[in-house]
Amino acid sequence: MDDKEIIVAEQVLPDKLFIVPLLGKPIFPGIFTPIMITSNDDIEIVNQAMENDKVIGLVLLKDEDESATGPEDIYAVGTAAKIVKKINLPDGGVNIFISTVKRFRIRKFFTSEAPIIAAVEYLDDIVEEDQNDELKALTRSLIAEMKQISEDNPLFSEEMRLNMVNIDNPGKIADFITSILNIDREHQPKVLEHLKLAIP
């Protein structure tokens, strides 16, 4: 294979993932961010992932209960993330820097207790063909506005500005904007599960 040949995500992402349950809110594709890992079970998942392909599955817990981490306690749709860097902390926890890649849906669980391993299928955005050009134009407009808003705005971290540089399609801009909006927790999983891109 030519070194310059582009590899699509499905060819490099594994069909089985170690699942890390999330409290708070889901993490969307196209984001570069640090995550603090303190649970012993999750630290073990990170260690195992580091020994393999460095890819983990981030899935939101249905309830904000740290003790509930079984297959029945998490949503079916999550985000695959590549661990870019891992830092061991003095208190025994770890800080990982991740680059989120793609949505997935859990097809089957191989384990019922931590570490949870699941078979997954990766999900693509659905774009209405007759709206494709209009969506691209709207995307360019939104990116320009977001860049203008981010200038000298302390609410935008350097990572967020870096993420904006890499946005190149309607689905990615929708994910990025959603990730920084203050949306009620009950609605966040529905947004992550939504694949159809259309202009009302």
Side-chain angles (χ1 to χ4, degrees):
M1 183 179 72
D2 191 325
D3 289 340
K4 295 182 180 179
E5 184 177 340
I6 296 174
I7 303 174
V8 297
E10 286 82 356
Q11 291 179 319
V12 295
L13 291 173
D15 56 6
K16 296 177 186 176
L17 291 175
F18 290 104
I19 302 298
V20 176
L22 296 175
L23 291 167
K25 66 178 188 176
I27 297 177
F28 286 78
I31 304 297
F32 179 79
T33 187
I35 297 182
M36 188 83 70
I37 305 291
T38 56
S39 158
N40 289 334
D41 289 337
D42 292 344
I43 291 172
E44 179 58 27
I45 287 173
V46 168
N47 290 337
Q48 291 193 40
M50 292 296 291
E51 293 176 3
N52 292 280
D53 46 34
K54 299 185 179 179
V55 180
I56 55 176
L58 306 173
V59 185
L60 188 67
L61 283 165
K62 293 178 181 177
D63 297 304
E64 295 194 83
D65 179 2
E66 292 185 51
S67 64
T69 57
E72 70 282 356
D73 302 313
I74 59 178
Y75 287 96
V77 174
T79 303
K82 187 87 173 180
I83 300 173
V84 178
K85 187 176 183 180
K86 173 193 166 194
I87 300 173
N88 295 319
L89 302 175
D91 63 0
V94 298
N95 197 18
I96 58 173
F97 289 81
I98 58 166
S99 176
T100 55
V101 185
K102 198 172 181 69
R103 281 173 173 78
F104 66 82
R105 179 178 288 111
I106 294 174
R107 294 175 52 240
K108 181 176 71 171
F109 289 99
F110 293 105
T111 56
S112 59
E113 297 179 352
I116 296 176
I117 302 172
V120 302
E121 61 176 336
Y122 295 96
L123 306 174
D124 292 308
D125 292 326
I126 301 169
V127 180
E128 298 284 351
E129 283 301 319
D130 60 341
Q131 294 189 338
N132 196 35
D133 291 339
E134 192 174 354
L135 278 170
K136 286 181 179 178
L138 181 59
T139 299
R140 288 193 294 270
S141 175
L142 284 171
I143 291 172
E145 287 190 32
M146 292 299 294
K147 287 181 178 177
Q148 185 174 359
I149 292 171
S150 72
E151 291 179 6
D152 301 320
N153 188 327
L155 295 177
F156 281 75
S157 66
E158 194 58 40
E159 289 84 5
M160 291 168 69
R161 293 188 181 91
L162 180 63
N163 288 330
M164 282 194 294
V165 173
N166 297 317
I167 295 174
D168 59 3
N169 67 49
K172 287 183 179 180
I173 187 67
D175 285 339
F176 178 78
I177 291 175
T178 303
S179 70
I180 61 176
L181 292 177
N182 186 19
I183 301 174
D184 289 342
R185 190 180 193 275
E186 61 185 277
H187 298 304
Q188 291 168 352
K190 296 177 183 177
V191 176
L192 186 64
E193 293 168 7
H194 193 76
L195 300 175
K196 188 172 182 179
L197 301 174
I199 299 172

